[in-house]
Each structure stands twice: as structure tokens, then as C-alpha cells.
């Protein structure tokens, strides 16, 4: 609803006016001034409200603009970070692709090695089976040899047994016409140490096939044996020759 006051048209009675001593006409100047002031005041208030509204809108627009600028900057920053992450992810994918390629090559190499090892294992298993058979055969042959030696040992002459006791040695037949003579109790500090040699009695002359440890005077002693044909004295002389090698008190 409008607050503007509408002034009614002024009605003048000329007859009455002319009868007055000082005729005057009230044109409503004061009312006009009041109305004008009110109008100007209303216009001023409207202006002030409009300016305040405009200022408030400008302030709001400035704040909104700043908010939009800040949000835009944040989005741009986030977009930049996303682009960097995208670049890193692409690089990581490339590295993983290369690593996968290397892994596939390694797996292929390991498969080839595994196939080679399986072939070797099969070959080794065949060799083991062959060696197992060979060892079993050798054990059977060794068992036969032991049986043969045991049979020979049961027929050892009493003088050989007496010789073994007196000289702390053993005399064994290791092959046809070959004797293994082993000496014990040579080292006072180590009763387990021994010395031995293999004597070949197949020919006209005796021969020492091997000796452990090596004895430098063995050739001289064998020559004496072939001249004297005294086997007992030879075994005794060899033990006497071995004694300095084991008895540290004589050095």
C-alpha cells in the first residue's frame, strides 16, 4: 500500500472570499512543504537503502568472487597434483612393465635351469643306481674274500700266531701269494697308529709292493730276506726299522 497522500482539489467560494476585508486564498503551501520534505526524506531513505543494498551486494559479490577464486585455485592445485600423480603412475606402470618383463625372462631361465637340473638328476639317479649295484657286487665279493681269508686264517700255522703275539703285528693274506703285515704299539703316545707293508711271495725273490709309512731301508731289508730266506727275522728287522719313526724319545 502507498503512503503518498493525495490532496483533494482546492475549492474556492469567490462570493465568500470577496466579502472578506483581506481576502486570502490558502493554497496549502505548508502541506506542500511537508509533503515535499517527506518525499525528499523518503527518496533519501530509499537512496541510502539502495546504496546499502548495493554495498552489501558488492561485498557479498566480492566475497563470492574470492571464494570462487580460492576454490578455482584449489581445484587447479589439485588438478596439478593429479597430473603429477598421473605422470608418476604412468612411470610406475612402465617400471612394473619392465620388471614384469624381466621377471618373465627370469622365470623362463629358471624353467630352463630346472629342466636341465631334472635331466642331471635323472642322470645322477641312474649313476647312483649303477654305483649302488656296483657297491653291492663289491660287498658280495668282499664278503667272499673275507670268508676266504677267514678260512685261510683258521689254518694259520701256530708259529705265525706266535710271531704275531711276540712282534705285536698281524699277518693277513690279501691276494693270492701276497701278505699284509701290520705292526701295532709303535707309538707310545698313540696306540692307534700303525705301520704296514704288503709282501709279494709269488716269485723266486720276495718283493715289497707297498709300505706305509715309507721306509728308506726297506730295499736293504728285502735284499737281506732274499739272501737269508728268514721271514721271521725280516719281519722283526722291519719293526725295528719302523720304531724310530714313531718313538719320539729316540729323536
Amino acid at each position: 500500500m502507498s503512503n503518498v497522500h493525495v490532496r483533494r482539489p482546492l475549492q474556492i467560494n469567490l462570493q465568500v472570499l470577496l466579502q472578506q476585508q483581506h481576502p486570502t486564498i490558502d493554497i496549502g503551501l505548508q502541506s506542500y512543504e511537508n509533503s515535499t520534505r517527506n518525499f525528499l526524506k523518503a527518496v533519501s531513505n530509499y537512496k541510502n537503502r539502495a546504496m546499502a543494498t548495493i554495498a552489501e551486494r558488492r561485498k557479498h559479490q566480492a566475497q563470492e568472487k574470492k571464494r570462487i577464486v580460492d576454490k578455482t585455485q584449489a581445484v587447479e592445485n589439485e588438478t596439478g597434483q593429479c597430473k603429477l600423480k598421473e605422470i608418476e603412475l604412468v612411470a610406475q606402470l612402465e617400471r612394473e612393465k619392465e620388471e614384469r618383463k624381466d621377471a618373465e625372462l627370469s622365470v623362463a631361465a629358471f624353467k630352463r635351469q630346472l629342466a636341465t637340473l631334472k635331466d642331471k638328476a635323472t642322470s645322477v639317479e641312474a649313476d647312483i643306481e649303477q654305483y649302488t649295484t656296483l657297491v653291492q657286487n663289491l660287498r658280495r665279493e668282499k664278503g667272499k674274500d673275507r670268508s676266504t681269508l677267514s678260512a685261510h686264517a683258521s689254518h694259520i700255522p701256530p708259529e705265525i700266531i706266535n710271531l704275531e703275539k711276540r712282534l705285536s703285528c698281524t699277518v693277513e693274506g690279501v691276494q693270492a701269494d701276497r701278505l699284509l703285515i701290520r705292526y701295532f704299539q709303535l707309538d707310545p703316545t698313540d696306540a692307534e697308529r700303525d705301520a704296514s707293508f704288503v709282501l709279494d711271495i709269488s716269485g723266486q725273490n720276495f718283493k715289497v709292493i707297498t709300505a706305509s709309512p715309507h721306509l728308506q731301508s726297506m730295499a736293504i731289508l728285502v735284499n737281506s730276506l732274499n739272501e737269508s730266506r728268514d721271514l721271521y727275522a725280516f719281519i722283526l728287522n722291519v719293526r725295528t726299522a719302523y720304531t724310530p719313526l714313531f718313538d719320539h724319545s729316540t729323536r
Side-chain angles (χ1 to χ4, degrees), residues 9-38:
L10 180 63
Q11 295 180 0
I12 301 174
N13 190 339
L14 291 178
Q15 184 178 3
V16 176
L17 181 62
L18 292 174
Q19 291 175 359
Q20 294 178 5
Q21 185 178 0
H22 300 289
T24 58
I25 299 174
D26 185 9
I27 62 175
L29 182 61
Q30 184 65 37
S31 178
Y32 173 75
E33 289 178 354
N34 292 335
S35 177
T36 301
R37 278 196 303 271
N38 291 333

PDB file of all heavy atoms in Angstrom, residues 9-38:
ATOM      1  N   PRO A   9      -8.594  18.488  -4.743  1.00  0.00           N
ATOM      2  CA  PRO A   9      -8.568  19.787  -5.448  1.00  0.00           C
ATOM      3  C   PRO A   9      -9.170  20.897  -4.563  1.00  0.00           C
ATOM      4  O   PRO A   9     -10.125  20.683  -3.816  1.00  0.00           O
ATOM      5  CB  PRO A   9      -9.434  19.533  -6.683  1.00  0.00           C
ATOM      6  CG  PRO A   9      -9.420  18.033  -6.854  1.00  0.00           C
ATOM      7  CD  PRO A   9      -9.335  17.466  -5.482  1.00  0.00           C
ATOM      8  N   LEU A  10      -8.499  22.047  -4.588  1.00  0.00           N
ATOM      9  CA  LEU A  10      -8.927  23.196  -3.762  1.00  0.00           C
ATOM     10  C   LEU A  10     -10.229  23.792  -4.330  1.00  0.00           C
ATOM     11  O   LEU A  10     -10.298  24.087  -5.538  1.00  0.00           O
ATOM     12  CB  LEU A  10      -7.821  24.259  -3.738  1.00  0.00           C
ATOM     13  CG  LEU A  10      -8.108  25.505  -2.931  1.00  0.00           C
ATOM     14  CD1 LEU A  10      -8.286  25.147  -1.431  1.00  0.00           C
ATOM     15  CD2 LEU A  10      -6.962  26.537  -3.069  1.00  0.00           C
ATOM     16  N   GLN A  11     -11.194  23.928  -3.487  1.00  0.00           N
ATOM     17  CA  GLN A  11     -12.485  24.532  -3.884  1.00  0.00           C
ATOM     18  C   GLN A  11     -12.574  25.950  -3.280  1.00  0.00           C
ATOM     19  O   GLN A  11     -12.449  26.128  -2.085  1.00  0.00           O
ATOM     20  CB  GLN A  11     -13.651  23.674  -3.392  1.00  0.00           C
ATOM     21  CG  GLN A  11     -13.695  22.287  -4.041  1.00  0.00           C
ATOM     22  CD  GLN A  11     -14.855  21.456  -3.534  1.00  0.00           C
ATOM     23  OE1 GLN A  11     -15.658  21.936  -2.665  1.00  0.00           O
ATOM     24  NE2 GLN A  11     -15.009  20.265  -4.100  1.00  0.00           N
ATOM     25  N   ILE A  12     -12.761  26.942  -4.125  1.00  0.00           N
ATOM     26  CA  ILE A  12     -12.798  28.373  -3.705  1.00  0.00           C
ATOM     27  C   ILE A  12     -14.207  28.921  -3.936  1.00  0.00           C
ATOM     28  O   ILE A  12     -14.762  28.804  -5.034  1.00  0.00           O
ATOM     29  CB  ILE A  12     -11.782  29.195  -4.494  1.00  0.00           C
ATOM     30  CG1 ILE A  12     -10.327  28.623  -4.272  1.00  0.00           C
ATOM     31  CG2 ILE A  12     -11.826  30.674  -4.103  1.00  0.00           C
ATOM     32  CD1 ILE A  12      -9.286  29.298  -5.137  1.00  0.00           C
ATOM     33  N   ASN A  13     -14.742  29.521  -2.900  1.00  0.00           N
ATOM     34  CA  ASN A  13     -16.041  30.205  -2.983  1.00  0.00           C
ATOM     35  C   ASN A  13     -15.741  31.699  -3.135  1.00  0.00           C
ATOM     36  O   ASN A  13     -15.380  32.404  -2.186  1.00  0.00           O
ATOM     37  CB  ASN A  13     -16.869  29.948  -1.723  1.00  0.00           C
ATOM     38  CG  ASN A  13     -18.288  30.431  -1.864  1.00  0.00           C
ATOM     39  OD1 ASN A  13     -18.614  31.297  -2.713  1.00  0.00           O
ATOM     40  ND2 ASN A  13     -19.184  29.937  -0.990  1.00  0.00           N
ATOM     41  N   LEU A  14     -15.808  32.180  -4.336  1.00  0.00           N
ATOM     42  CA  LEU A  14     -15.443  33.564  -4.628  1.00  0.00           C
ATOM     43  C   LEU A  14     -16.365  34.551  -3.900  1.00  0.00           C
ATOM     44  O   LEU A  14     -15.922  35.644  -3.467  1.00  0.00           O
ATOM     45  CB  LEU A  14     -15.515  33.817  -6.135  1.00  0.00           C
ATOM     46  CG  LEU A  14     -14.435  33.083  -6.973  1.00  0.00           C
ATOM     47  CD1 LEU A  14     -14.660  33.378  -8.455  1.00  0.00           C
ATOM     48  CD2 LEU A  14     -13.049  33.498  -6.551  1.00  0.00           C
ATOM     49  N   GLN A  15     -17.598  34.203  -3.747  1.00  0.00           N
ATOM     50  CA  GLN A  15     -18.540  35.130  -3.097  1.00  0.00           C
ATOM     51  C   GLN A  15     -18.126  35.351  -1.650  1.00  0.00           C
ATOM     52  O   GLN A  15     -18.095  36.472  -1.152  1.00  0.00           O
ATOM     53  CB  GLN A  15     -19.974  34.569  -3.193  1.00  0.00           C
ATOM     54  CG  GLN A  15     -21.002  35.512  -2.632  1.00  0.00           C
ATOM     55  CD  GLN A  15     -22.429  34.962  -2.789  1.00  0.00           C
ATOM     56  OE1 GLN A  15     -22.628  33.854  -3.277  1.00  0.00           O
ATOM     57  NE2 GLN A  15     -23.422  35.756  -2.386  1.00  0.00           N
ATOM     58  N   VAL A  16     -17.795  34.309  -0.989  1.00  0.00           N
ATOM     59  CA  VAL A  16     -17.369  34.439   0.399  1.00  0.00           C
ATOM     60  C   VAL A  16     -16.028  35.139   0.477  1.00  0.00           C
ATOM     61  O   VAL A  16     -15.780  35.964   1.362  1.00  0.00           O
ATOM     62  CB  VAL A  16     -17.299  33.042   1.068  1.00  0.00           C
ATOM     63  CG1 VAL A  16     -16.751  33.163   2.482  1.00  0.00           C
ATOM     64  CG2 VAL A  16     -18.675  32.406   1.094  1.00  0.00           C
ATOM     65  N   LEU A  17     -15.139  34.802  -0.454  1.00  0.00           N
ATOM     66  CA  LEU A  17     -13.817  35.395  -0.459  1.00  0.00           C
ATOM     67  C   LEU A  17     -13.860  36.899  -0.654  1.00  0.00           C
ATOM     68  O   LEU A  17     -13.144  37.681   0.007  1.00  0.00           O
ATOM     69  CB  LEU A  17     -12.979  34.727  -1.548  1.00  0.00           C
ATOM     70  CG  LEU A  17     -11.525  35.221  -1.684  1.00  0.00           C
ATOM     71  CD1 LEU A  17     -10.739  34.928  -0.376  1.00  0.00           C
ATOM     72  CD2 LEU A  17     -10.830  34.542  -2.859  1.00  0.00           C
ATOM     73  N   LEU A  18     -14.723  37.341  -1.507  1.00  0.00           N
ATOM     74  CA  LEU A  18     -14.821  38.769  -1.810  1.00  0.00           C
ATOM     75  C   LEU A  18     -15.436  39.552  -0.666  1.00  0.00           C
ATOM     76  O   LEU A  18     -15.211  40.766  -0.530  1.00  0.00           O
ATOM     77  CB  LEU A  18     -15.609  38.972  -3.095  1.00  0.00           C
ATOM     78  CG  LEU A  18     -14.908  38.458  -4.383  1.00  0.00           C
ATOM     79  CD1 LEU A  18     -15.868  38.592  -5.550  1.00  0.00           C
ATOM     80  CD2 LEU A  18     -13.638  39.242  -4.627  1.00  0.00           C
ATOM     81  N   GLN A  19     -16.180  38.904   0.168  1.00  0.00           N
ATOM     82  CA  GLN A  19     -16.804  39.594   1.284  1.00  0.00           C
ATOM     83  C   GLN A  19     -15.794  39.811   2.420  1.00  0.00           C
ATOM     84  O   GLN A  19     -16.081  40.538   3.375  1.00  0.00           O
ATOM     85  CB  GLN A  19     -18.025  38.772   1.789  1.00  0.00           C
ATOM     86  CG  GLN A  19     -19.168  38.759   0.814  1.00  0.00           C
ATOM     87  CD  GLN A  19     -20.300  37.866   1.272  1.00  0.00           C
ATOM     88  OE1 GLN A  19     -20.219  37.234   2.333  1.00  0.00           O
ATOM     89  NE2 GLN A  19     -21.421  37.861   0.497  1.00  0.00           N
ATOM     90  N   GLN A  20     -14.646  39.178   2.379  1.00  0.00           N
ATOM     91  CA  GLN A  20     -13.646  39.344   3.437  1.00  0.00           C
ATOM     92  C   GLN A  20     -12.916  40.673   3.234  1.00  0.00           C
ATOM     93  O   GLN A  20     -12.722  41.117   2.101  1.00  0.00           O
ATOM     94  CB  GLN A  20     -12.651  38.185   3.390  1.00  0.00           C
ATOM     95  CG  GLN A  20     -13.292  36.875   3.741  1.00  0.00           C
ATOM     96  CD  GLN A  20     -12.264  35.740   3.637  1.00  0.00           C
ATOM     97  OE1 GLN A  20     -11.069  36.005   3.381  1.00  0.00           O
ATOM     98  NE2 GLN A  20     -12.725  34.520   3.889  1.00  0.00           N
ATOM     99  N   GLN A  21     -12.477  41.266   4.423  1.00  0.00           N
ATOM    100  CA  GLN A  21     -11.746  42.542   4.341  1.00  0.00           C
ATOM    101  C   GLN A  21     -10.393  42.338   3.679  1.00  0.00           C
ATOM    102  O   GLN A  21      -9.964  43.200   2.897  1.00  0.00           O
ATOM    103  CB  GLN A  21     -11.591  43.108   5.771  1.00  0.00           C
ATOM    104  CG  GLN A  21     -10.969  44.478   5.780  1.00  0.00           C
ATOM    105  CD  GLN A  21     -10.863  45.045   7.179  1.00  0.00           C
ATOM    106  OE1 GLN A  21     -11.260  44.420   8.155  1.00  0.00           O
ATOM    107  NE2 GLN A  21     -10.399  46.292   7.296  1.00  0.00           N
ATOM    108  N   HIS A  22      -9.739  41.274   4.038  1.00  0.00           N
ATOM    109  CA  HIS A  22      -8.437  40.956   3.416  1.00  0.00           C
ATOM    110  C   HIS A  22      -8.548  39.539   2.833  1.00  0.00           C
ATOM    111  O   HIS A  22      -8.210  38.552   3.495  1.00  0.00           O
ATOM    112  CB  HIS A  22      -7.285  41.005   4.427  1.00  0.00           C
ATOM    113  CG  HIS A  22      -7.120  42.334   5.070  1.00  0.00           C
ATOM    114  ND1 HIS A  22      -6.635  43.474   4.397  1.00  0.00           N
ATOM    115  CD2 HIS A  22      -7.420  42.792   6.338  1.00  0.00           C
ATOM    116  CE1 HIS A  22      -6.615  44.526   5.196  1.00  0.00           C
ATOM    117  NE2 HIS A  22      -7.104  44.138   6.417  1.00  0.00           N
ATOM    118  N   PRO A  23      -9.044  39.462   1.699  1.00  0.00           N
ATOM    119  CA  PRO A  23      -9.242  38.114   1.139  1.00  0.00           C
ATOM    120  C   PRO A  23      -7.894  37.409   0.882  1.00  0.00           C
ATOM    121  O   PRO A  23      -6.953  38.008   0.401  1.00  0.00           O
ATOM    122  CB  PRO A  23      -9.978  38.400  -0.169  1.00  0.00           C
ATOM    123  CG  PRO A  23      -9.691  39.821  -0.506  1.00  0.00           C
ATOM    124  CD  PRO A  23      -9.470  40.557   0.766  1.00  0.00           C
ATOM    125  N   THR A  24      -7.828  36.198   1.270  1.00  0.00           N
ATOM    126  CA  THR A  24      -6.633  35.348   1.038  1.00  0.00           C
ATOM    127  C   THR A  24      -7.068  33.944   0.594  1.00  0.00           C
ATOM    128  O   THR A  24      -8.171  33.504   0.948  1.00  0.00           O
ATOM    129  CB  THR A  24      -5.796  35.199   2.328  1.00  0.00           C
ATOM    130  OG1 THR A  24      -6.606  34.648   3.350  1.00  0.00           O
ATOM    131  CG2 THR A  24      -5.210  36.525   2.753  1.00  0.00           C
ATOM    132  N   ILE A  25      -6.220  33.378  -0.151  1.00  0.00           N
ATOM    133  CA  ILE A  25      -6.506  32.001  -0.620  1.00  0.00           C
ATOM    134  C   ILE A  25      -5.429  31.058  -0.042  1.00  0.00           C
ATOM    135  O   ILE A  25      -4.213  31.269  -0.240  1.00  0.00           O
ATOM    136  CB  ILE A  25      -6.501  31.919  -2.159  1.00  0.00           C
ATOM    137  CG1 ILE A  25      -7.596  32.837  -2.749  1.00  0.00           C
ATOM    138  CG2 ILE A  25      -6.689  30.487  -2.637  1.00  0.00           C
ATOM    139  CD1 ILE A  25      -7.578  32.933  -4.269  1.00  0.00           C
ATOM    140  N   ASP A  26      -5.868  30.065   0.656  1.00  0.00           N
ATOM    141  CA  ASP A  26      -4.909  29.049   1.226  1.00  0.00           C
ATOM    142  C   ASP A  26      -4.602  27.994   0.152  1.00  0.00           C
ATOM    143  O   ASP A  26      -5.461  27.179  -0.192  1.00  0.00           O
ATOM    144  CB  ASP A  26      -5.538  28.404   2.463  1.00  0.00           C
ATOM    145  CG  ASP A  26      -4.572  27.459   3.148  1.00  0.00           C
ATOM    146  OD1 ASP A  26      -3.349  27.434   2.764  1.00  0.00           O
ATOM    147  OD2 ASP A  26      -4.997  26.702   4.054  1.00  0.00           O
ATOM    148  N   ILE A  27      -3.410  28.125  -0.375  1.00  0.00           N
ATOM    149  CA  ILE A  27      -3.010  27.167  -1.438  1.00  0.00           C
ATOM    150  C   ILE A  27      -2.338  25.918  -0.845  1.00  0.00           C
ATOM    151  O   ILE A  27      -1.842  25.056  -1.557  1.00  0.00           O
ATOM    152  CB  ILE A  27      -2.077  27.861  -2.441  1.00  0.00           C
ATOM    153  CG1 ILE A  27      -0.781  28.344  -1.758  1.00  0.00           C
ATOM    154  CG2 ILE A  27      -2.792  29.016  -3.129  1.00  0.00           C
ATOM    155  CD1 ILE A  27       0.223  28.940  -2.725  1.00  0.00           C
ATOM    156  N   GLY A  28      -2.274  25.776   0.460  1.00  0.00           N
ATOM    157  CA  GLY A  28      -1.686  24.565   1.130  1.00  0.00           C
ATOM    158  C   GLY A  28      -0.180  24.476   0.990  1.00  0.00           C
ATOM    159  O   GLY A  28       0.356  23.394   0.767  1.00  0.00           O
ATOM    160  N   LEU A  29       0.478  25.693   1.133  1.00  0.00           N
ATOM    161  CA  LEU A  29       1.948  25.700   0.971  1.00  0.00           C
ATOM    162  C   LEU A  29       2.640  24.883   2.057  1.00  0.00           C
ATOM    163  O   LEU A  29       3.586  24.123   1.787  1.00  0.00           O
ATOM    164  CB  LEU A  29       2.432  27.154   0.974  1.00  0.00           C
ATOM    165  CG  LEU A  29       3.939  27.339   0.763  1.00  0.00           C
ATOM    166  CD1 LEU A  29       4.350  26.776  -0.606  1.00  0.00           C
ATOM    167  CD2 LEU A  29       4.319  28.828   0.855  1.00  0.00           C
ATOM    168  N   GLN A  30       2.150  25.035   3.290  1.00  0.00           N
ATOM    169  CA  GLN A  30       2.805  24.279   4.387  1.00  0.00           C
ATOM    170  C   GLN A  30       2.652  22.783   4.187  1.00  0.00           C
ATOM    171  O   GLN A  30       3.586  22.008   4.393  1.00  0.00           O
ATOM    172  CB  GLN A  30       2.165  24.710   5.732  1.00  0.00           C
ATOM    173  CG  GLN A  30       2.835  24.077   6.946  1.00  0.00           C
ATOM    174  CD  GLN A  30       4.267  24.535   7.121  1.00  0.00           C
ATOM    175  OE1 GLN A  30       4.596  25.716   6.864  1.00  0.00           O
ATOM    176  NE2 GLN A  30       5.153  23.632   7.519  1.00  0.00           N
ATOM    177  N   SER A  31       1.449  22.421   3.765  1.00  0.00           N
ATOM    178  CA  SER A  31       1.229  20.997   3.497  1.00  0.00           C
ATOM    179  C   SER A  31       2.099  20.520   2.351  1.00  0.00           C
ATOM    180  O   SER A  31       2.632  19.407   2.369  1.00  0.00           O
ATOM    181  CB  SER A  31      -0.256  20.762   3.175  1.00  0.00           C
ATOM    182  OG  SER A  31      -0.481  19.410   2.865  1.00  0.00           O
ATOM    183  N   TYR A  32       2.259  21.458   1.366  1.00  0.00           N
ATOM    184  CA  TYR A  32       3.116  21.082   0.227  1.00  0.00           C
ATOM    185  C   TYR A  32       4.556  20.897   0.678  1.00  0.00           C
ATOM    186  O   TYR A  32       5.236  19.954   0.279  1.00  0.00           O
ATOM    187  CB  TYR A  32       3.001  22.146  -0.857  1.00  0.00           C
ATOM    188  CG  TYR A  32       3.962  21.935  -2.001  1.00  0.00           C
ATOM    189  CD1 TYR A  32       3.742  20.933  -2.962  1.00  0.00           C
ATOM    190  CD2 TYR A  32       5.122  22.724  -2.127  1.00  0.00           C
ATOM    191  CE1 TYR A  32       4.636  20.740  -4.016  1.00  0.00           C
ATOM    192  CE2 TYR A  32       6.013  22.521  -3.161  1.00  0.00           C
ATOM    193  CZ  TYR A  32       5.767  21.527  -4.105  1.00  0.00           C
ATOM    194  OH  TYR A  32       6.662  21.302  -5.148  1.00  0.00           O
ATOM    195  N   GLU A  33       5.039  21.822   1.525  1.00  0.00           N
ATOM    196  CA  GLU A  33       6.422  21.719   2.010  1.00  0.00           C
ATOM    197  C   GLU A  33       6.610  20.441   2.835  1.00  0.00           C
ATOM    198  O   GLU A  33       7.621  19.761   2.733  1.00  0.00           O
ATOM    199  CB  GLU A  33       6.759  22.954   2.837  1.00  0.00           C
ATOM    200  CG  GLU A  33       6.912  24.215   2.000  1.00  0.00           C
ATOM    201  CD  GLU A  33       7.208  25.432   2.850  1.00  0.00           C
ATOM    202  OE1 GLU A  33       7.174  25.276   4.109  1.00  0.00           O
ATOM    203  OE2 GLU A  33       7.504  26.508   2.295  1.00  0.00           O
ATOM    204  N   ASN A  34       5.596  20.176   3.694  1.00  0.00           N
ATOM    205  CA  ASN A  34       5.703  18.938   4.493  1.00  0.00           C
ATOM    206  C   ASN A  34       5.736  17.699   3.591  1.00  0.00           C
ATOM    207  O   ASN A  34       6.490  16.756   3.808  1.00  0.00           O
ATOM    208  CB  ASN A  34       4.525  18.853   5.471  1.00  0.00           C
ATOM    209  CG  ASN A  34       4.620  19.917   6.550  1.00  0.00           C
ATOM    210  OD1 ASN A  34       5.721  20.399   6.871  1.00  0.00           O
ATOM    211  ND2 ASN A  34       3.475  20.294   7.135  1.00  0.00           N
ATOM    212  N   SER A  35       4.873  17.756   2.578  1.00  0.00           N
ATOM    213  CA  SER A  35       4.843  16.616   1.655  1.00  0.00           C
ATOM    214  C   SER A  35       6.143  16.492   0.890  1.00  0.00           C
ATOM    215  O   SER A  35       6.656  15.393   0.674  1.00  0.00           O
ATOM    216  CB  SER A  35       3.663  16.803   0.686  1.00  0.00           C
ATOM    217  OG  SER A  35       3.653  15.747  -0.270  1.00  0.00           O
ATOM    218  N   THR A  36       6.683  17.710   0.489  1.00  0.00           N
ATOM    219  CA  THR A  36       7.970  17.680  -0.246  1.00  0.00           C
ATOM    220  C   THR A  36       9.085  17.144   0.626  1.00  0.00           C
ATOM    221  O   THR A  36       9.921  16.325   0.197  1.00  0.00           O
ATOM    222  CB  THR A  36       8.320  19.083  -0.761  1.00  0.00           C
ATOM    223  OG1 THR A  36       7.254  19.540  -1.625  1.00  0.00           O
ATOM    224  CG2 THR A  36       9.621  19.074  -1.528  1.00  0.00           C
ATOM    225  N   ARG A  37       9.097  17.624   1.931  1.00  0.00           N
ATOM    226  CA  ARG A  37      10.155  17.120   2.826  1.00  0.00           C
ATOM    227  C   ARG A  37      10.034  15.602   3.034  1.00  0.00           C
ATOM    228  O   ARG A  37      11.014  14.874   3.047  1.00  0.00           O
ATOM    229  CB  ARG A  37      10.067  17.864   4.184  1.00  0.00           C
ATOM    230  CG  ARG A  37      10.751  19.215   4.170  1.00  0.00           C
ATOM    231  CD  ARG A  37      10.964  19.709   5.597  1.00  0.00           C
ATOM    232  NE  ARG A  37       9.711  19.790   6.337  1.00  0.00           N
ATOM    233  CZ  ARG A  37       8.939  20.882   6.349  1.00  0.00           C
ATOM    234  NH1 ARG A  37       9.271  21.959   5.654  1.00  0.00           N
ATOM    235  NH2 ARG A  37       7.834  20.895   7.064  1.00  0.00           N
ATOM    236  N   ASN A  38       8.797  15.191   3.229  1.00  0.00           N
ATOM    237  CA  ASN A  38       8.600  13.738   3.412  1.00  0.00           C
ATOM    238  C   ASN A  38       9.040  12.954   2.169  1.00  0.00           C
ATOM    239  O   ASN A  38       9.619  11.866   2.269  1.00  0.00           O
ATOM    240  CB  ASN A  38       7.130  13.457   3.733  1.00  0.00           C
ATOM    241  CG  ASN A  38       6.731  13.981   5.107  1.00  0.00           C
ATOM    242  OD1 ASN A  38       7.579  14.090   5.998  1.00  0.00           O
ATOM    243  ND2 ASN A  38       5.458  14.296   5.291  1.00  0.00           N
TER     244      ASN A  38
END
